[in-house]
Amino acid sequence: MDIESISIVLCGSTFGLILRIFIQNNLKINIGFNIQNTSIVNFISSFILGILVALDFINNKILLLFYLGFLGCFSTFSSFVYQLFVLFQKRKFMLLFFHYTEVIILSFLCFYLGYYLMQIIK
């Protein structure tokens, strides 16, 4: 990887990290049940990924900026796994199961919604 590619990834990752920290610290959504901020970030990330996949970028620099840089730092897979681990340690197996399925299913639906909306717009 050359210095230009590394710079592009660093730029994208910086903005992804800043946005993730902002959302995790400032956004509270309650729609009858508590959605953790990590899950919200994963849903937004999946939606953005769906849009980017639908746009089908060929330019390698754009792929590095958005896919690897921005979404790589914005999405929070390790935090999701940690939340599952904490539920496992506390022996809250039903909550672990529901949290896992919630994030996986809703992330997929957000991805598909972003993809579908871009297909309509195209």
Side-chain angles (χ1 to χ4, degrees), residues 57-104:
F57 289 116
I58 297 173
N59 186 334
N60 193 32
K61 292 178 183 177
I62 293 175
L63 292 175
L64 287 173
L65 179 69
F66 288 108
Y67 287 120
L68 191 60
F70 180 78
L71 289 177
C73 278
F74 181 63
S75 64
T76 57
F77 182 73
S78 58
S79 295
F80 168 61
V81 171
Y82 176 72
Q83 288 173 344
L84 294 178
F85 179 72
V86 168
L87 291 172
F88 181 79
Q89 278 187 320
K90 292 180 179 179
R91 300 191 173 289
K92 296 185 176 185
F93 300 116
M94 290 300 287
L95 279 174
L96 184 145
F97 174 76
F98 287 122
H99 182 63
Y100 174 81
T101 53
E102 164 204 23
V103 171
I104 298 298

Side-chain angles (χ1 to χ4, degrees), residues 9 16 22 39 53 94 100:
V9 171
F22 176 79
S39 298
V53 167
M94 290 300 287
Y100 174 81

